[in-house]
Amino acid sequence: MIAPRGTIGILGGGQLGRMLVMAAAQMGYRCVVYAPGRDCVAAEVAGDFFNREWNDAGAMAAFAQQCDVITWEFENVPVEPLQPIAERLAPHPRALETAQDRLNEKRFVEQLGGRPAPYAPVDAPSDLAAAVERIGTPGILKTRRDGYDGKGQWRIGNARDAEGFSHTGEPLVYEGFVDFAAEFSVVLVRGRDGEVRYWDSAENVHQDGILATSTLPASDAVAGQVEEARALAKQVADALDYVGVLTLEFFATASGPVFNEMAPRVHNSGHWTIEGAATSQFENHIRAICGLPLGDTATIGASVTMENVIGKDAATAHECLADSAAHLHLYGKSAARKGRKMGHVTRVHRT
Ligand code: AMP
């Protein structure tokens, strides 16, 4: 167990890190953030900040020396520089390796009995025609690595779109377009002793590939599929001997839950848990990695909505507070670029 006053290292400097630091501070932990680049909003609330490149081995070693346990908030942290500090990491970096490549991730989940949309690797221009021929259209081409919030994705409506697609040579995966009734996620926490707890599954609505809202309770289309989805998520967590919060995203379809993707970290579709659940995803992630007992994940209230504040909307976001049920979270990011997640608003309704 990591005792309070211990130090937690966080790899990545975004809003997920910021909210992890805030939960850790509440329990008496000190956090140190390691992230390259600018606008590291997690560093603003942390005790120390290594603003260094991932492959700066000296800085990574100095960072690790300060930390009793190290976790990440960003799933594209390169795995190689983490090898020397692997024994201090929770979850284990094998979870990163699995989730960083969409193709590996789909194969891994399929081996455990999950059902992704039909897919095919596209490594060369000629592979796309064959993939479209086999899987059909419409479909979506996605980069295997480094995609997020709908970036690195191209809709292929018909065979002509496929012919016109100019391939840069980076590895891609083509997947069939899923005819879904709704989207939902399973957010779970797994402790060091293997105990697993789930939050209620929110129904998620995406716009332009970016999460717009999460709502609870979910519709009947989702509710009937949560049990099967949870069973798969637990298998994934057990197979990785996972410690912390893990998220799996699904499409609810007429033939059951179709696996979309996994995130080996706290997730935007779990932000509602800060005010909407007895214990938030952030607190339970900290509890899990520190070897503390897990907190109750029950939903508080009759309904909860979480709405993301995207781009320029941040300038007027405080207006939501005219509604006394609203809780505003702004992440302190400076540039309100189009499509950038700037904050979120959660509303918990007791009746
Ligand atoms: P992703 O980054 O892969 O989660 O994709 C972002 C969003 O795009 C998803 O949450 C869906 O709304 C949509 N999407 C992605 N892949 C598919 C698919 N194969 N079929 C239908 N919609 C998809």
Side-chain angles (χ1 to χ4, degrees):
M1 190 192 95
I2 313 293
R5 300 295 308 148
T7 299
I8 299 171
I10 312 242
L11 298 162
Q15 66 268 19
L16 301 179
R18 183 179 172 104
M19 290 183 272
L20 282 171
V21 171
M22 287 156 71
Q26 183 187 315
M27 286 184 280
Y29 293 107
R30 174 176 175 268
C31 288
V32 183
V33 168
Y34 190 113
R38 286 182 303 169
D39 218 7
C40 292
V41 294
E44 284 179 11
V45 293
D48 204 352
F49 178 33
F50 285 71
N51 192 198
R52 308 293 281 267
E53 295 303 316
W54 297 122
N55 59 6
D56 183 337
M60 187 63 81
F63 161 76
Q65 212 164 27
Q66 282 200 31
C67 303
D68 297 297
V69 64
I70 300 169
T71 192
W72 59 77
E73 61 97 52
F74 174 62
E75 77 203 56
N76 291 321
V77 180
V79 174
E80 194 53 36
L82 304 183
Q83 295 308 341
I85 62 165
E87 100 265 4
R88 249 178 251 194
L89 278 168
H92 191 278
R94 76 174 76 86
L96 276 183
E97 267 170 322
T98 308
Q100 280 178 354
D101 181 332
R102 282 188 192 275
L103 187 65
N104 287 353
E105 177 182 278
K106 288 177 194 298
R107 286 178 173 155
F108 174 76
V109 167
E110 221 170 18
Q111 275 165 15
L112 295 172
R115 286 182 303 131
Y119 65 92
V122 174
D123 296 325
S126 56
D127 294 345
L128 180 56
V132 168
E133 169 105 19
R134 181 161 73 76
I135 291 166
T137 54
I140 304 187
L141 255 183
K142 300 181 179 179
T143 53
R144 275 172 61 175
R145 291 184 164 272
D146 295 330
Y148 68 98
D149 285 346
K151 293 182 180 66
Q153 300 193 2
W154 301 270
R155 178 86 188 257
I156 303 292
N158 50 48
R160 206 171 317 139
D161 288 349
E163 279 163 28
F165 182 78
S166 66
H167 191 250
T168 58
E170 77 184 304
L172 305 170
V173 59
Y174 179 70
E175 53 180 74
F177 197 80
V178 178
D179 181 18
F180 58 81
E183 291 187 76
F184 68 103
S185 46
V186 172
V187 185
L188 65 75
V189 60
R190 186 172 185 277
R192 287 193 181 268
D193 58 358
E195 181 191 1
V196 171
R197 293 185 182 214
Y198 308 89
W199 283 271
D200 283 337
S201 279
E203 183 158 334
N204 302 323
V205 174
H206 292 80
Q207 275 163 13
D208 303 325
I210 304 173
L211 184 68
T213 61
S214 293
T215 305
L216 292 113
S219 63
D220 291 347
V222 168
Q225 309 203 355
V226 169
E227 195 179 320
E228 187 180 335
R230 280 185 180 180
L232 178 66
K234 180 173 188 309
Q235 274 193 289
V236 169
D238 288 344
L240 295 169
D241 196 13
Y242 196 87
V243 174
V245 171
L246 172 73
T247 307
L248 267 73
E249 292 183 77
F250 292 91
F251 302 113
T253 75
S255 57
V258 170
F259 168 78
N260 177 21
E261 62 177 355
M262 63 184 261
R265 53 169 170 75
V266 287
H267 194 259
N268 194 169
S269 65
H271 287 2
W272 66 271
T273 62
I274 297 177
E275 293 89 7
T279 312
S280 77
Q281 61 167 347
F282 301 101
E283 179 173 342
N284 260 345
H285 185 77
I286 298 296
R287 289 192 192 208
I289 64 168
C290 290
L292 298 171
L294 303 179
D296 180 5
T297 50
T299 304
I300 293 169
S303 69
V304 185
T305 59
M306 189 290 306
E307 198 181 331
N308 270 340
V309 176
I310 309 277
K312 290 201 165 45
D313 291 352
T316 52
H318 58 277
E319 289 171 9
C320 73
L321 297 176
D323 174 359
S324 63
H327 296 273
L328 175 64
H329 299 251
L330 287 176
Y331 308 142
K333 294 181 183 177
S334 51
R337 286 194 300 273
K338 186 171 177 284
R340 192 167 197 215
K341 290 175 179 170
M342 303 298 289
H344 71 269
V345 179
T346 303
R347 291 181 172 83
V348 179
H349 298 284
R350 305 271 159 179
T351 51

